[in-house]
mmCIF file of all heavy atoms in Angstrom:
data_model
loop_
_atom_site.group_PDB
_atom_site.id
_atom_site.type_symbol
_atom_site.label_atom_id
_atom_site.label_comp_id
_atom_site.label_asym_id
_atom_site.label_seq_id
_atom_site.Cartn_x
_atom_site.Cartn_y
_atom_site.Cartn_z
ATOM 1 N N ASN A 208 2.532 -39.375 3.745
ATOM 2 C CA ASN A 208 1.244 -40.044 3.564
ATOM 3 C C ASN A 208 0.458 -40.254 4.850
ATOM 4 O O ASN A 208 -0.676 -40.737 4.801
ATOM 5 C CB ASN A 208 1.460 -41.408 2.894
ATOM 6 C CG ASN A 208 2.032 -41.268 1.497
ATOM 7 O OD1 ASN A 208 1.681 -40.337 0.777
ATOM 8 N ND2 ASN A 208 2.915 -42.188 1.116
ATOM 9 N N VAL A 209 1.041 -39.933 5.990
ATOM 10 C CA VAL A 209 0.380 -40.252 7.258
ATOM 11 C C VAL A 209 -0.059 -39.016 8.048
ATOM 12 O O VAL A 209 -0.929 -39.122 8.912
ATOM 13 C CB VAL A 209 1.298 -41.130 8.140
ATOM 14 C CG1 VAL A 209 1.553 -42.465 7.464
ATOM 15 C CG2 VAL A 209 2.608 -40.422 8.439
ATOM 16 N N THR A 210 0.526 -37.866 7.775
ATOM 17 C CA THR A 210 0.151 -36.665 8.524
ATOM 18 C C THR A 210 -1.091 -36.022 7.913
ATOM 19 O O THR A 210 -1.427 -36.248 6.750
ATOM 20 C CB THR A 210 1.297 -35.637 8.522
ATOM 21 O OG1 THR A 210 1.627 -35.321 7.170
ATOM 22 C CG2 THR A 210 2.515 -36.186 9.233
ATOM 23 N N ILE A 211 -1.754 -35.200 8.711
ATOM 24 C CA ILE A 211 -2.904 -34.470 8.192
ATOM 25 C C ILE A 211 -2.421 -33.291 7.350
ATOM 26 O O ILE A 211 -1.260 -32.870 7.442
ATOM 27 C CB ILE A 211 -3.824 -33.985 9.333
ATOM 28 C CG1 ILE A 211 -3.068 -33.033 10.274
ATOM 29 C CG2 ILE A 211 -4.379 -35.162 10.115
ATOM 30 C CD1 ILE A 211 -3.950 -32.418 11.343
ATOM 31 N N SER A 212 -3.303 -32.768 6.534
ATOM 32 C CA SER A 212 -2.919 -31.704 5.604
ATOM 33 C C SER A 212 -2.779 -30.359 6.316
ATOM 34 O O SER A 212 -3.253 -30.160 7.438
ATOM 35 C CB SER A 212 -3.948 -31.596 4.482
ATOM 36 O OG SER A 212 -5.224 -31.286 5.011
ATOM 37 N N SER A 213 -2.129 -29.435 5.626
ATOM 38 C CA SER A 213 -1.884 -28.084 6.133
ATOM 39 C C SER A 213 -2.001 -27.113 4.971
ATOM 40 O O SER A 213 -1.729 -27.468 3.823
ATOM 41 C CB SER A 213 -0.478 -28.007 6.747
ATOM 42 O OG SER A 213 -0.058 -26.665 6.923
ATOM 43 N N TYR A 214 -2.411 -25.881 5.262
ATOM 44 C CA TYR A 214 -2.410 -24.864 4.208
ATOM 45 C C TYR A 214 -0.993 -24.403 3.885
ATOM 46 O O TYR A 214 -0.678 -24.101 2.732
ATOM 47 C CB TYR A 214 -3.208 -23.630 4.637
ATOM 48 C CG TYR A 214 -4.687 -23.838 4.826
ATOM 49 C CD1 TYR A 214 -5.437 -22.902 5.545
ATOM 50 C CD2 TYR A 214 -5.355 -24.938 4.293
ATOM 51 C CE1 TYR A 214 -6.806 -23.058 5.723
ATOM 52 C CE2 TYR A 214 -6.715 -25.109 4.476
ATOM 53 C CZ TYR A 214 -7.433 -24.169 5.194
ATOM 54 O OH TYR A 214 -8.782 -24.327 5.373
ATOM 55 N N TRP A 215 -0.132 -24.349 4.919
ATOM 56 C CA TRP A 215 1.122 -23.611 4.787
ATOM 57 C C TRP A 215 2.381 -24.400 5.131
ATOM 58 O O TRP A 215 3.480 -23.864 4.960
ATOM 59 C CB TRP A 215 1.097 -22.377 5.695
ATOM 60 C CG TRP A 215 -0.157 -21.581 5.630
ATOM 61 C CD1 TRP A 215 -1.082 -21.434 6.618
ATOM 62 C CD2 TRP A 215 -0.642 -20.801 4.520
ATOM 63 N NE1 TRP A 215 -2.107 -20.614 6.211
ATOM 64 C CE2 TRP A 215 -1.865 -20.204 4.918
ATOM 65 C CE3 TRP A 215 -0.158 -20.548 3.239
ATOM 66 C CZ2 TRP A 215 -2.607 -19.378 4.077
ATOM 67 C CZ3 TRP A 215 -0.897 -19.727 2.394
ATOM 68 C CH2 TRP A 215 -2.105 -19.150 2.814
ATOM 69 N N GLY A 216 2.254 -25.623 5.637
ATOM 70 C CA GLY A 216 3.459 -26.299 6.097
ATOM 71 C C GLY A 216 3.315 -27.799 6.178
ATOM 72 O O GLY A 216 2.676 -28.432 5.336
ATOM 73 N N CYS A 217 3.915 -28.360 7.215
ATOM 74 C CA CYS A 217 3.941 -29.812 7.422
ATOM 75 C C CYS A 217 3.581 -30.096 8.875
ATOM 76 O O CYS A 217 4.195 -29.537 9.794
ATOM 77 C CB CYS A 217 5.336 -30.349 7.107
ATOM 78 S SG CYS A 217 5.572 -32.097 7.512
ATOM 79 N N THR A 218 2.592 -30.968 9.080
ATOM 80 C CA THR A 218 2.138 -31.260 10.443
ATOM 81 C C THR A 218 2.897 -32.419 11.083
ATOM 82 O O THR A 218 2.529 -32.875 12.162
ATOM 83 C CB THR A 218 0.629 -31.575 10.446
ATOM 84 O OG1 THR A 218 0.370 -32.675 9.556
ATOM 85 C CG2 THR A 218 -0.170 -30.358 9.996
ATOM 86 N N TRP A 219 3.942 -32.898 10.425
ATOM 87 C CA TRP A 219 4.809 -33.918 11.017
ATOM 88 C C TRP A 219 5.403 -33.351 12.303
ATOM 89 O O TRP A 219 5.850 -32.201 12.357
ATOM 90 C CB TRP A 219 5.903 -34.285 10.017
ATOM 91 C CG TRP A 219 6.812 -35.394 10.435
ATOM 92 C CD1 TRP A 219 6.481 -36.546 11.077
ATOM 93 C CD2 TRP A 219 8.226 -35.445 10.216
ATOM 94 N NE1 TRP A 219 7.583 -37.327 11.276
ATOM 95 C CE2 TRP A 219 8.679 -36.680 10.757
ATOM 96 C CE3 TRP A 219 9.153 -34.593 9.616
ATOM 97 C CZ2 TRP A 219 10.014 -37.066 10.723
ATOM 98 C CZ3 TRP A 219 10.480 -34.980 9.570
ATOM 99 C CH2 TRP A 219 10.906 -36.206 10.120
ATOM 100 N N THR A 220 5.406 -34.149 13.367
ATOM 101 C CA THR A 220 5.742 -33.680 14.716
ATOM 102 C C THR A 220 7.026 -32.858 14.806
ATOM 103 O O THR A 220 7.048 -31.812 15.477
ATOM 104 C CB THR A 220 5.812 -34.871 15.690
ATOM 105 O OG1 THR A 220 4.553 -35.560 15.676
ATOM 106 C CG2 THR A 220 6.126 -34.404 17.101
ATOM 107 N N PRO A 221 8.131 -33.256 14.160
ATOM 108 C CA PRO A 221 9.360 -32.452 14.307
ATOM 109 C C PRO A 221 9.219 -30.993 13.858
ATOM 110 O O PRO A 221 9.967 -30.127 14.326
ATOM 111 C CB PRO A 221 10.371 -33.202 13.428
ATOM 112 C CG PRO A 221 9.887 -34.613 13.431
ATOM 113 C CD PRO A 221 8.392 -34.507 13.419
ATOM 114 N N TYR A 222 8.270 -30.722 12.963
ATOM 115 C CA TYR A 222 8.102 -29.339 12.505
ATOM 116 C C TYR A 222 7.327 -28.471 13.499
ATOM 117 O O TYR A 222 7.364 -27.239 13.406
ATOM 118 C CB TYR A 222 7.378 -29.312 11.155
ATOM 119 C CG TYR A 222 8.274 -29.606 9.974
ATOM 120 C CD1 TYR A 222 8.214 -30.832 9.327
ATOM 121 C CD2 TYR A 222 9.173 -28.653 9.508
ATOM 122 C CE1 TYR A 222 9.031 -31.107 8.233
ATOM 123 C CE2 TYR A 222 9.993 -28.908 8.423
ATOM 124 C CZ TYR A 222 9.919 -30.144 7.787
ATOM 125 O OH TYR A 222 10.734 -30.405 6.707
ATOM 126 N N LYS A 223 6.601 -29.126 14.404
ATOM 127 C CA LYS A 223 5.797 -28.401 15.397
ATOM 128 C C LYS A 223 4.868 -27.408 14.686
ATOM 129 O O LYS A 223 4.147 -27.778 13.784
ATOM 130 C CB LYS A 223 6.707 -27.725 16.416
ATOM 131 C CG LYS A 223 7.600 -28.696 17.179
ATOM 132 C CD LYS A 223 8.481 -27.989 18.184
ATOM 133 C CE LYS A 223 9.377 -28.989 18.907
ATOM 134 N NZ LYS A 223 10.283 -28.326 19.879
ATOM 135 N N ASP A 224 4.903 -26.143 15.094
ATOM 136 C CA ASP A 224 4.027 -25.135 14.485
ATOM 137 C C ASP A 224 4.730 -24.320 13.406
ATOM 138 O O ASP A 224 4.218 -23.289 12.958
ATOM 139 C CB ASP A 224 3.490 -24.177 15.563
ATOM 140 C CG ASP A 224 2.498 -24.861 16.490
ATOM 141 O OD1 ASP A 224 1.772 -25.753 16.009
ATOM 142 O OD2 ASP A 224 2.453 -24.500 17.681
ATOM 143 N N ASN A 225 5.904 -24.763 12.993
ATOM 144 C CA ASN A 225 6.628 -24.034 11.958
ATOM 145 C C ASN A 225 5.942 -24.182 10.603
ATOM 146 O O ASN A 225 5.256 -25.172 10.341
ATOM 147 C CB ASN A 225 8.069 -24.537 11.872
ATOM 148 C CG ASN A 225 8.880 -24.126 13.082
ATOM 149 O OD1 ASN A 225 9.081 -22.947 13.322
ATOM 150 N ND2 ASN A 225 9.331 -25.110 13.862
ATOM 151 N N LEU A 226 6.152 -23.201 9.741
ATOM 152 C CA LEU A 226 5.513 -23.145 8.428
ATOM 153 C C LEU A 226 6.561 -23.246 7.325
ATOM 154 O O LEU A 226 7.750 -23.028 7.563
ATOM 155 C CB LEU A 226 4.716 -21.847 8.298
ATOM 156 C CG LEU A 226 3.726 -21.575 9.438
ATOM 157 C CD1 LEU A 226 3.069 -20.215 9.257
ATOM 158 C CD2 LEU A 226 2.679 -22.678 9.530
ATOM 159 N N MET A 227 6.095 -23.550 6.093
ATOM 160 C CA MET A 227 7.037 -23.766 4.994
ATOM 161 C C MET A 227 6.641 -23.051 3.705
ATOM 162 O O MET A 227 7.135 -23.394 2.644
ATOM 163 C CB MET A 227 7.183 -25.266 4.700
ATOM 164 C CG MET A 227 8.161 -25.977 5.597
ATOM 165 S SD MET A 227 8.707 -27.558 4.903
ATOM 166 C CE MET A 227 7.233 -28.543 5.067
ATOM 167 N N THR A 228 5.771 -22.071 3.765
ATOM 168 C CA THR A 228 5.380 -21.337 2.560
ATOM 169 C C THR A 228 6.287 -20.117 2.425
ATOM 170 O O THR A 228 6.302 -19.248 3.302
ATOM 171 C CB THR A 228 3.909 -20.909 2.633
ATOM 172 O OG1 THR A 228 3.099 -22.081 2.769
ATOM 173 C CG2 THR A 228 3.504 -20.155 1.380
ATOM 174 N N ILE A 229 7.043 -20.064 1.330
ATOM 175 C CA ILE A 229 8.100 -19.064 1.168
ATOM 176 C C ILE A 229 7.895 -18.298 -0.137
ATOM 177 O O ILE A 229 7.681 -18.902 -1.192
ATOM 178 C CB ILE A 229 9.485 -19.745 1.156
ATOM 179 C CG1 ILE A 229 9.708 -20.510 2.471
ATOM 180 C CG2 ILE A 229 10.601 -18.723 0.928
ATOM 181 C CD1 ILE A 229 10.907 -21.447 2.432
ATOM 182 N N ILE A 230 7.954 -16.968 -0.068
ATOM 183 C CA ILE A 230 7.910 -16.126 -1.263
ATOM 184 C C ILE A 230 9.342 -15.809 -1.676
ATOM 185 O O ILE A 230 10.153 -15.364 -0.853
ATOM 186 C CB ILE A 230 7.132 -14.825 -1.009
ATOM 187 C CG1 ILE A 230 5.678 -15.134 -0.632
ATOM 188 C CG2 ILE A 230 7.172 -13.920 -2.240
ATOM 189 C CD1 ILE A 230 4.853 -13.904 -0.288
#
Side-chain angles (χ1 to χ4, degrees):
N208 296 324
V209 296
T210 57
I211 61 175
S212 61
S213 164
Y214 294 163
W215 314 112
C217 173
T218 57
W219 184 40
T220 302
Y222 280 105
K223 300 180 181 179
D224 290 327
N225 290 297
L226 308 176
M227 277 199 289
T228 301
I229 301 168
I230 299 177

